[in-house]
Amino acid sequence: AQRVTQPEKLLSVFKGAPVELKCNYSYSGSPELFWYVQYSRQRLQLLLRHISRESIKGFTADLNKGETSFHLKKPFAQEEDSAMYYCALYLSYGQNFVFGPGTRLSVLP
Amino acid sequence: DGGITQSPKYLFRKEGQNVTLSCEQNLNHDAMYWYRQDPGQGLRLIYYSQIVNDFQKGDIAEGYSVSREKKESFPLTVTSAQKNPTAFYLCASSSFGTKPLQPQHFGDGTRLSIL
């Protein structure tokens, strides 16, 4: 069955340290993957998607089909990065999305 | 400000009562979705609709019902058959059938509690 896993429920790092939020998926088709972020008291919003190959707010994510991973990385974490992060996979056959359980990132001063 | 509007923000349900959560969008999106968000479980899909007058069950549809009479609206009814309705409910919308695939836009959510 298709699914998305995010092994860390909570990740704490100090300001300026590198951060990596892990995401693994299982899917038989060609994956389309997204990272969504939910800041405190804000609605869930798109952070980035793998096909764009862009850096948003200093974050990047590379799709690794061999390892079935789509980890989110940032070289120097900032306090404003503290939020809940969700990895999501688009299911082309059902034409809907499946989300991982989320990782709460806490960037300490 | 265009986007998705969910109402109410907070809702309380009595035993045996059906309640309806509203979701309206002005983004001209074809597809709309309802998710349930519980701590540690992420977002789980309840129902989704890709066109008017059509919808499909998601992973946890039991105890819920929806309608899609208008493109802009996708209300969710939590019925008395849903034994554990206390949760945060998120509505989302997206364009459908576009290339490249467009991401979802989310509402602010409705928190449902049992009295």
mmCIF file of all heavy atoms in Angstrom, chain B residues 62-106:
data_model
loop_
_atom_site.group_PDB
_atom_site.id
_atom_site.type_symbol
_atom_site.label_atom_id
_atom_site.label_comp_id
_atom_site.label_asym_id
_atom_site.label_seq_id
_atom_site.Cartn_x
_atom_site.Cartn_y
_atom_site.Cartn_z
ATOM 1 N N GLU B 62 -16.196 6.424 7.091
ATOM 2 C CA GLU B 62 -17.304 5.921 7.907
ATOM 3 C C GLU B 62 -17.721 6.931 8.961
ATOM 4 O O GLU B 62 -16.899 7.451 9.714
ATOM 5 C CB GLU B 62 -16.904 4.611 8.585
ATOM 6 C CG GLU B 62 -18.053 3.962 9.338
ATOM 7 C CD GLU B 62 -17.686 2.603 9.901
ATOM 8 O OE1 GLU B 62 -16.610 2.074 9.562
ATOM 9 O OE2 GLU B 62 -18.482 2.074 10.696
ATOM 10 N N GLY B 63 -19.030 7.203 9.002
ATOM 11 C CA GLY B 63 -19.554 8.159 9.969
ATOM 12 C C GLY B 63 -19.587 9.583 9.460
ATOM 13 O O GLY B 63 -19.975 10.493 10.195
ATOM 14 N N TYR B 64 -19.200 9.777 8.203
ATOM 15 C CA TYR B 64 -19.206 11.100 7.588
ATOM 16 C C TYR B 64 -20.008 11.056 6.291
ATOM 17 O O TYR B 64 -20.138 10.016 5.671
ATOM 18 C CB TYR B 64 -17.778 11.557 7.258
ATOM 19 C CG TYR B 64 -16.850 11.666 8.433
ATOM 20 C CD1 TYR B 64 -15.972 10.626 8.741
ATOM 21 C CD2 TYR B 64 -16.820 12.813 9.220
ATOM 22 C CE1 TYR B 64 -15.106 10.716 9.819
ATOM 23 C CE2 TYR B 64 -15.949 12.913 10.295
ATOM 24 C CZ TYR B 64 -15.091 11.862 10.585
ATOM 25 O OH TYR B 64 -14.232 11.962 11.653
ATOM 26 N N SER B 65 -20.511 12.232 5.889
ATOM 27 C CA SER B 65 -21.144 12.344 4.578
ATOM 28 C C SER B 65 -20.826 13.716 4.005
ATOM 29 O O SER B 65 -20.528 14.656 4.742
ATOM 30 C CB SER B 65 -22.659 12.136 4.661
ATOM 31 O OG SER B 65 -23.263 13.174 5.404
ATOM 32 N N VAL B 66 -20.869 13.822 2.677
ATOM 33 C CA VAL B 66 -20.573 15.086 2.000
ATOM 34 C C VAL B 66 -21.563 15.284 0.863
ATOM 35 O O VAL B 66 -22.293 14.374 0.475
ATOM 36 C CB VAL B 66 -19.139 15.118 1.424
ATOM 37 C CG1 VAL B 66 -18.094 15.115 2.518
ATOM 38 C CG2 VAL B 66 -18.922 13.954 0.449
ATOM 39 N N SER B 67 -21.552 16.491 0.330
ATOM 40 C CA SER B 67 -22.294 16.804 -0.888
ATOM 41 C C SER B 67 -21.466 17.795 -1.686
ATOM 42 O O SER B 67 -20.622 18.506 -1.137
ATOM 43 C CB SER B 67 -23.670 17.383 -0.560
ATOM 44 O OG SER B 67 -23.545 18.612 0.132
ATOM 45 N N ARG B 68 -21.691 17.820 -2.995
ATOM 46 C CA ARG B 68 -20.977 18.787 -3.847
ATOM 47 C C ARG B 68 -21.966 19.282 -4.903
ATOM 48 O O ARG B 68 -21.932 18.908 -6.066
ATOM 49 C CB ARG B 68 -19.776 18.104 -4.508
ATOM 50 C CG ARG B 68 -18.889 19.098 -5.260
ATOM 51 C CD ARG B 68 -17.898 19.780 -4.421
ATOM 52 N NE ARG B 68 -17.162 20.831 -5.088
ATOM 53 C CZ ARG B 68 -16.084 20.662 -5.850
ATOM 54 N NH1 ARG B 68 -15.638 19.442 -6.106
ATOM 55 N NH2 ARG B 68 -15.480 21.695 -6.374
ATOM 56 N N GLU B 69 -22.856 20.131 -4.453
ATOM 57 C CA GLU B 69 -23.882 20.671 -5.348
ATOM 58 C C GLU B 69 -23.381 21.878 -6.119
ATOM 59 O O GLU B 69 -23.929 22.217 -7.178
ATOM 60 C CB GLU B 69 -25.129 21.021 -4.542
ATOM 61 C CG GLU B 69 -25.773 19.802 -3.880
ATOM 62 C CD GLU B 69 -26.971 20.172 -3.023
ATOM 63 O OE1 GLU B 69 -27.321 21.379 -2.982
ATOM 64 O OE2 GLU B 69 -27.548 19.274 -2.402
ATOM 65 N N LYS B 70 -22.376 22.533 -5.586
ATOM 66 C CA LYS B 70 -21.792 23.692 -6.252
ATOM 67 C C LYS B 70 -20.282 23.543 -6.268
ATOM 68 O O LYS B 70 -19.698 22.949 -5.354
ATOM 69 C CB LYS B 70 -22.148 24.980 -5.499
ATOM 70 C CG LYS B 70 -23.615 25.299 -5.444
ATOM 71 C CD LYS B 70 -23.848 26.684 -4.838
ATOM 72 C CE LYS B 70 -23.312 26.765 -3.421
ATOM 73 N NZ LYS B 70 -23.560 28.106 -2.818
ATOM 74 N N LYS B 71 -19.662 24.114 -7.256
ATOM 75 C CA LYS B 71 -18.210 24.021 -7.375
ATOM 76 C C LYS B 71 -17.520 24.647 -6.161
ATOM 77 O O LYS B 71 -16.475 24.188 -5.726
ATOM 78 C CB LYS B 71 -17.761 24.736 -8.648
ATOM 79 C CG LYS B 71 -16.301 24.574 -8.996
ATOM 80 C CD LYS B 71 -16.002 25.235 -10.340
ATOM 81 C CE LYS B 71 -14.559 25.009 -10.740
ATOM 82 N NZ LYS B 71 -14.270 25.614 -12.076
ATOM 83 N N GLU B 72 -18.130 25.700 -5.631
ATOM 84 C CA GLU B 72 -17.477 26.462 -4.581
ATOM 85 C C GLU B 72 -17.624 25.849 -3.194
ATOM 86 O O GLU B 72 -16.954 26.257 -2.254
ATOM 87 C CB GLU B 72 -18.072 27.876 -4.513
ATOM 88 C CG GLU B 72 -17.957 28.667 -5.800
ATOM 89 C CD GLU B 72 -19.022 28.286 -6.811
ATOM 90 O OE1 GLU B 72 -20.057 27.713 -6.411
ATOM 91 O OE2 GLU B 72 -18.812 28.530 -8.024
ATOM 92 N N SER B 73 -18.519 24.898 -3.039
ATOM 93 C CA SER B 73 -18.887 24.452 -1.704
ATOM 94 C C SER B 73 -18.780 22.940 -1.542
ATOM 95 O O SER B 73 -19.194 22.180 -2.428
ATOM 96 C CB SER B 73 -20.329 24.910 -1.420
ATOM 97 O OG SER B 73 -20.759 24.465 -0.161
ATOM 98 N N PHE B 74 -18.278 22.505 -0.396
ATOM 99 C CA PHE B 74 -18.102 21.076 -0.134
ATOM 100 C C PHE B 74 -18.333 20.830 1.356
ATOM 101 O O PHE B 74 -17.397 20.577 2.119
ATOM 102 C CB PHE B 74 -16.699 20.647 -0.550
ATOM 103 C CG PHE B 74 -16.463 19.160 -0.590
ATOM 104 C CD1 PHE B 74 -17.402 18.286 -1.108
ATOM 105 C CD2 PHE B 74 -15.260 18.638 -0.142
ATOM 106 C CE1 PHE B 74 -17.169 16.926 -1.170
ATOM 107 C CE2 PHE B 74 -15.000 17.261 -0.203
ATOM 108 C CZ PHE B 74 -15.966 16.416 -0.706
ATOM 109 N N PRO B 75 -19.574 20.876 1.823
ATOM 110 C CA PRO B 75 -19.847 20.696 3.249
ATOM 111 C C PRO B 75 -19.660 19.254 3.718
ATOM 112 O O PRO B 75 -19.956 18.310 2.969
ATOM 113 C CB PRO B 75 -21.314 21.134 3.388
ATOM 114 C CG PRO B 75 -21.892 20.929 2.024
ATOM 115 C CD PRO B 75 -20.781 21.183 1.047
ATOM 116 N N LEU B 76 -19.200 19.121 4.939
ATOM 117 C CA LEU B 76 -18.982 17.809 5.561
ATOM 118 C C LEU B 76 -19.935 17.654 6.733
ATOM 119 O O LEU B 76 -19.979 18.515 7.616
ATOM 120 C CB LEU B 76 -17.539 17.696 6.067
ATOM 121 C CG LEU B 76 -17.195 16.456 6.881
ATOM 122 C CD1 LEU B 76 -17.101 15.229 5.982
ATOM 123 C CD2 LEU B 76 -15.874 16.658 7.642
ATOM 124 N N THR B 77 -20.688 16.568 6.751
ATOM 125 C CA THR B 77 -21.555 16.268 7.884
ATOM 126 C C THR B 77 -20.944 15.155 8.709
ATOM 127 O O THR B 77 -20.614 14.090 8.167
ATOM 128 C CB THR B 77 -22.964 15.868 7.419
ATOM 129 O OG1 THR B 77 -23.575 16.977 6.753
ATOM 130 C CG2 THR B 77 -23.848 15.480 8.607
ATOM 131 N N VAL B 78 -20.786 15.422 9.991
ATOM 132 C CA VAL B 78 -20.316 14.412 10.923
ATOM 133 C C VAL B 78 -21.558 13.817 11.561
ATOM 134 O O VAL B 78 -22.289 14.503 12.282
ATOM 135 C CB VAL B 78 -19.396 15.027 11.999
ATOM 136 C CG1 VAL B 78 -18.843 13.945 12.904
ATOM 137 C CG2 VAL B 78 -18.271 15.811 11.331
ATOM 138 N N THR B 79 -21.839 12.576 11.267
ATOM 139 C CA THR B 79 -23.077 11.961 11.735
ATOM 140 C C THR B 79 -22.903 11.338 13.111
ATOM 141 O O THR B 79 -21.771 11.168 13.600
ATOM 142 C CB THR B 79 -23.571 10.901 10.744
ATOM 143 O OG1 THR B 79 -22.739 9.734 10.876
ATOM 144 C CG2 THR B 79 -23.528 11.411 9.312
ATOM 145 N N SER B 80 -24.013 10.946 13.700
ATOM 146 C CA SER B 80 -23.972 10.307 15.021
ATOM 147 C C SER B 80 -23.292 8.942 14.954
ATOM 148 O O SER B 80 -22.898 8.389 15.979
ATOM 149 C CB SER B 80 -25.390 10.159 15.573
ATOM 150 O OG SER B 80 -26.195 9.435 14.668
ATOM 151 N N ALA B 81 -23.114 8.418 13.751
ATOM 152 C CA ALA B 81 -22.434 7.125 13.589
ATOM 153 C C ALA B 81 -20.930 7.243 13.787
ATOM 154 O O ALA B 81 -20.249 6.228 13.984
ATOM 155 C CB ALA B 81 -22.723 6.553 12.198
ATOM 156 N N GLN B 82 -20.421 8.444 13.738
ATOM 157 C CA GLN B 82 -18.978 8.664 13.966
ATOM 158 C C GLN B 82 -18.770 8.706 15.475
ATOM 159 O O GLN B 82 -19.134 9.679 16.143
ATOM 160 C CB GLN B 82 -18.530 9.960 13.293
ATOM 161 C CG GLN B 82 -17.102 10.396 13.606
ATOM 162 C CD GLN B 82 -16.057 9.307 13.447
ATOM 163 O OE1 GLN B 82 -15.420 8.901 14.412
ATOM 164 N NE2 GLN B 82 -15.913 8.819 12.225
ATOM 165 N N LYS B 83 -18.179 7.652 16.008
ATOM 166 C CA LYS B 83 -18.097 7.495 17.472
ATOM 167 C C LYS B 83 -16.982 8.293 18.108
ATOM 168 O O LYS B 83 -16.978 8.497 19.325
ATOM 169 C CB LYS B 83 -17.916 6.003 17.805
ATOM 170 C CG LYS B 83 -19.095 5.144 17.344
ATOM 171 C CD LYS B 83 -20.403 5.681 17.881
ATOM 172 C CE LYS B 83 -21.588 4.857 17.385
ATOM 173 N NZ LYS B 83 -22.882 5.502 17.733
ATOM 174 N N ASN B 84 -16.033 8.723 17.322
ATOM 175 C CA ASN B 84 -14.916 9.489 17.883
ATOM 176 C C ASN B 84 -14.692 10.738 17.035
ATOM 177 O O ASN B 84 -13.677 10.855 16.346
ATOM 178 C CB ASN B 84 -13.648 8.624 17.921
ATOM 179 C CG ASN B 84 -12.498 9.341 18.582
ATOM 180 O OD1 ASN B 84 -12.700 10.258 19.375
ATOM 181 N ND2 ASN B 84 -11.292 8.948 18.240
ATOM 182 N N PRO B 85 -15.618 11.687 17.062
ATOM 183 C CA PRO B 85 -15.536 12.812 16.152
ATOM 184 C C PRO B 85 -14.620 13.944 16.596
ATOM 185 O O PRO B 85 -14.330 14.838 15.810
ATOM 186 C CB PRO B 85 -16.981 13.308 16.088
ATOM 187 C CG PRO B 85 -17.530 12.979 17.434
ATOM 188 C CD PRO B 85 -16.861 11.695 17.848
ATOM 189 N N THR B 86 -14.174 13.906 17.829
ATOM 190 C CA THR B 86 -13.346 15.003 18.331
ATOM 191 C C THR B 86 -12.038 15.052 17.570
ATOM 192 O O THR B 86 -11.224 14.126 17.630
ATOM 193 C CB THR B 86 -13.071 14.818 19.833
ATOM 194 O OG1 THR B 86 -14.314 14.859 20.540
ATOM 195 C CG2 THR B 86 -12.152 15.909 20.347
ATOM 196 N N ALA B 87 -11.832 16.138 16.827
ATOM 197 C CA ALA B 87 -10.644 16.270 15.983
ATOM 198 C C ALA B 87 -10.635 17.656 15.371
ATOM 199 O O ALA B 87 -11.570 18.440 15.528
ATOM 200 C CB ALA B 87 -10.636 15.214 14.872
ATOM 201 N N PHE B 88 -9.569 17.912 14.640
ATOM 202 C CA PHE B 88 -9.433 19.130 13.862
ATOM 203 C C PHE B 88 -9.677 18.747 12.408
ATOM 204 O O PHE B 88 -9.074 17.806 11.903
ATOM 205 C CB PHE B 88 -8.018 19.693 14.060
ATOM 206 C CG PHE B 88 -7.809 21.074 13.525
ATOM 207 C CD1 PHE B 88 -8.532 22.143 14.029
ATOM 208 C CD2 PHE B 88 -6.883 21.313 12.532
ATOM 209 C CE1 PHE B 88 -8.340 23.427 13.553
ATOM 210 C CE2 PHE B 88 -6.680 22.600 12.051
ATOM 211 C CZ PHE B 88 -7.407 23.658 12.560
ATOM 212 N N TYR B 89 -10.600 19.449 11.741
ATOM 213 C CA TYR B 89 -10.980 19.111 10.378
ATOM 214 C C TYR B 89 -10.487 20.183 9.411
ATOM 215 O O TYR B 89 -10.737 21.377 9.597
ATOM 216 C CB TYR B 89 -12.500 18.965 10.265
ATOM 217 C CG TYR B 89 -13.010 17.760 11.010
ATOM 218 C CD1 TYR B 89 -13.327 17.840 12.361
ATOM 219 C CD2 TYR B 89 -13.149 16.529 10.370
ATOM 220 C CE1 TYR B 89 -13.786 16.727 13.051
ATOM 221 C CE2 TYR B 89 -13.602 15.412 11.053
ATOM 222 C CZ TYR B 89 -13.913 15.523 12.395
ATOM 223 O OH TYR B 89 -14.350 14.412 13.080
ATOM 224 N N LEU B 90 -9.795 19.724 8.386
ATOM 225 C CA LEU B 90 -9.237 20.631 7.388
ATOM 226 C C LEU B 90 -9.867 20.385 6.027
ATOM 227 O O LEU B 90 -10.000 19.241 5.598
ATOM 228 C CB LEU B 90 -7.724 20.434 7.274
ATOM 229 C CG LEU B 90 -6.854 21.111 8.319
ATOM 230 C CD1 LEU B 90 -5.413 20.650 8.175
ATOM 231 C CD2 LEU B 90 -6.942 22.614 8.206
ATOM 232 N N CYS B 91 -10.202 21.467 5.377
ATOM 233 C CA CYS B 91 -10.709 21.421 4.007
ATOM 234 C C CYS B 91 -9.615 21.949 3.084
ATOM 235 O O CYS B 91 -8.856 22.861 3.457
ATOM 236 C CB CYS B 91 -11.964 22.277 3.897
ATOM 237 S SG CYS B 91 -12.708 22.310 2.253
ATOM 238 N N ALA B 92 -9.519 21.370 1.903
ATOM 239 C CA ALA B 92 -8.526 21.808 0.932
ATOM 240 C C ALA B 92 -9.127 21.798 -0.457
ATOM 241 O O ALA B 92 -10.131 21.127 -0.714
ATOM 242 C CB ALA B 92 -7.292 20.900 0.985
ATOM 243 N N SER B 93 -8.498 22.529 -1.359
ATOM 244 C CA SER B 93 -8.924 22.499 -2.753
ATOM 245 C C SER B 93 -7.705 22.555 -3.646
ATOM 246 O O SER B 93 -6.619 22.973 -3.221
ATOM 247 C CB SER B 93 -9.872 23.660 -3.070
ATOM 248 O OG SER B 93 -9.171 24.888 -3.089
ATOM 249 N N SER B 94 -7.878 22.115 -4.877
ATOM 250 C CA SER B 94 -6.800 22.195 -5.851
ATOM 251 C C SER B 94 -7.396 22.165 -7.242
ATOM 252 O O SER B 94 -8.537 21.741 -7.436
ATOM 253 C CB SER B 94 -5.802 21.044 -5.665
ATOM 254 O OG SER B 94 -6.397 19.810 -6.002
ATOM 255 N N SER B 95 -6.631 22.601 -8.211
ATOM 256 C CA SER B 95 -7.058 22.435 -9.592
ATOM 257 C C SER B 95 -6.939 20.957 -9.920
ATOM 258 O O SER B 95 -6.253 20.197 -9.219
ATOM 259 C CB SER B 95 -6.197 23.284 -10.516
ATOM 260 O OG SER B 95 -4.839 22.987 -10.315
ATOM 261 N N PHE B 96 -7.588 20.540 -10.956
ATOM 262 C CA PHE B 96 -7.651 19.120 -11.272
ATOM 263 C C PHE B 96 -7.297 18.900 -12.730
ATOM 264 O O PHE B 96 -7.778 19.621 -13.608
ATOM 265 C CB PHE B 96 -9.062 18.596 -10.981
ATOM 266 C CG PHE B 96 -9.271 17.156 -11.354
ATOM 267 C CD1 PHE B 96 -8.560 16.154 -10.720
ATOM 268 C CD2 PHE B 96 -10.168 16.804 -12.346
ATOM 269 C CE1 PHE B 96 -8.750 14.829 -11.052
ATOM 270 C CE2 PHE B 96 -10.363 15.477 -12.691
ATOM 271 C CZ PHE B 96 -9.662 14.489 -12.049
ATOM 272 N N GLY B 97 -6.446 17.911 -12.962
ATOM 273 C CA GLY B 97 -6.117 17.555 -14.337
ATOM 274 C C GLY B 97 -5.120 18.474 -14.999
ATOM 275 O O GLY B 97 -4.928 18.422 -16.212
ATOM 276 N N THR B 98 -4.473 19.322 -14.199
ATOM 277 C CA THR B 98 -3.511 20.257 -14.792
ATOM 278 C C THR B 98 -2.121 19.643 -14.822
ATOM 279 O O THR B 98 -1.790 18.760 -14.032
ATOM 280 C CB THR B 98 -3.453 21.560 -13.980
ATOM 281 O OG1 THR B 98 -3.112 21.238 -12.629
ATOM 282 C CG2 THR B 98 -4.791 22.274 -14.004
ATOM 283 N N LYS B 99 -1.311 20.117 -15.718
ATOM 284 C CA LYS B 99 0.090 19.710 -15.799
ATOM 285 C C LYS B 99 0.952 20.951 -15.766
ATOM 286 O O LYS B 99 0.807 21.821 -16.604
ATOM 287 C CB LYS B 99 0.362 18.923 -17.092
ATOM 288 C CG LYS B 99 -0.328 17.575 -17.157
ATOM 289 C CD LYS B 99 0.310 16.581 -16.214
ATOM 290 C CE LYS B 99 -0.364 15.215 -16.332
ATOM 291 N NZ LYS B 99 0.179 14.262 -15.359
ATOM 292 N N PRO B 100 1.887 21.112 -14.845
ATOM 293 C CA PRO B 100 2.149 20.148 -13.779
ATOM 294 C C PRO B 100 1.053 20.159 -12.719
ATOM 295 O O PRO B 100 0.258 21.094 -12.643
ATOM 296 C CB PRO B 100 3.469 20.644 -13.200
ATOM 297 C CG PRO B 100 3.448 22.112 -13.446
ATOM 298 C CD PRO B 100 2.759 22.298 -14.760
ATOM 299 N N LEU B 101 1.033 19.132 -11.891
ATOM 300 C CA LEU B 101 0.059 19.033 -10.824
ATOM 301 C C LEU B 101 0.194 20.219 -9.885
ATOM 302 O O LEU B 101 1.289 20.603 -9.498
ATOM 303 C CB LEU B 101 0.322 17.738 -10.048
ATOM 304 C CG LEU B 101 -0.500 17.536 -8.789
ATOM 305 C CD1 LEU B 101 -1.949 17.274 -9.163
ATOM 306 C CD2 LEU B 101 0.061 16.373 -7.978
ATOM 307 N N GLN B 102 -0.937 20.796 -9.529
ATOM 308 C CA GLN B 102 -0.938 21.935 -8.626
ATOM 309 C C GLN B 102 -1.145 21.476 -7.185
ATOM 310 O O GLN B 102 -1.873 20.516 -6.932
ATOM 311 C CB GLN B 102 -2.037 22.928 -9.022
ATOM 312 C CG GLN B 102 -1.816 23.544 -10.388
ATOM 313 C CD GLN B 102 -0.473 24.254 -10.457
ATOM 314 O OE1 GLN B 102 -0.175 25.107 -9.620
ATOM 315 N NE2 GLN B 102 0.339 23.886 -11.427
ATOM 316 N N PRO B 103 -0.510 22.147 -6.234
ATOM 317 C CA PRO B 103 -0.648 21.752 -4.838
ATOM 318 C C PRO B 103 -2.013 22.135 -4.284
ATOM 319 O O PRO B 103 -2.773 22.870 -4.906
ATOM 320 C CB PRO B 103 0.450 22.552 -4.146
ATOM 321 C CG PRO B 103 0.609 23.764 -4.996
ATOM 322 C CD PRO B 103 0.372 23.308 -6.403
ATOM 323 N N GLN B 104 -2.297 21.652 -3.105
ATOM 324 C CA GLN B 104 -3.547 21.971 -2.441
ATOM 325 C C GLN B 104 -3.442 23.272 -1.672
ATOM 326 O O GLN B 104 -2.376 23.641 -1.179
ATOM 327 C CB GLN B 104 -3.911 20.854 -1.471
ATOM 328 C CG GLN B 104 -4.221 19.534 -2.154
ATOM 329 C CD GLN B 104 -4.475 18.452 -1.135
ATOM 330 O OE1 GLN B 104 -3.656 18.202 -0.254
ATOM 331 N NE2 GLN B 104 -5.605 17.785 -1.253
ATOM 332 N N HIS B 105 -4.583 23.952 -1.558
ATOM 333 C CA HIS B 105 -4.717 25.120 -0.698
ATOM 334 C C HIS B 105 -5.626 24.724 0.458
ATOM 335 O O HIS B 105 -6.649 24.077 0.236
ATOM 336 C CB HIS B 105 -5.331 26.293 -1.469
ATOM 337 C CG HIS B 105 -4.453 26.800 -2.568
ATOM 338 N ND1 HIS B 105 -3.834 28.023 -2.522
ATOM 339 C CD2 HIS B 105 -4.075 26.233 -3.729
ATOM 340 C CE1 HIS B 105 -3.130 28.195 -3.624
ATOM 341 N NE2 HIS B 105 -3.258 27.131 -4.373
ATOM 342 N N PHE B 106 -5.273 25.127 1.660
ATOM 343 C CA PHE B 106 -6.006 24.704 2.843
ATOM 344 C C PHE B 106 -6.745 25.846 3.511
ATOM 345 O O PHE B 106 -6.334 27.000 3.448
ATOM 346 C CB PHE B 106 -5.041 24.079 3.859
ATOM 347 C CG PHE B 106 -4.576 22.711 3.480
ATOM 348 C CD1 PHE B 106 -3.490 22.534 2.636
ATOM 349 C CD2 PHE B 106 -5.236 21.585 3.956
ATOM 350 C CE1 PHE B 106 -3.060 21.264 2.270
ATOM 351 C CE2 PHE B 106 -4.816 20.313 3.600
ATOM 352 C CZ PHE B 106 -3.737 20.159 2.754
#
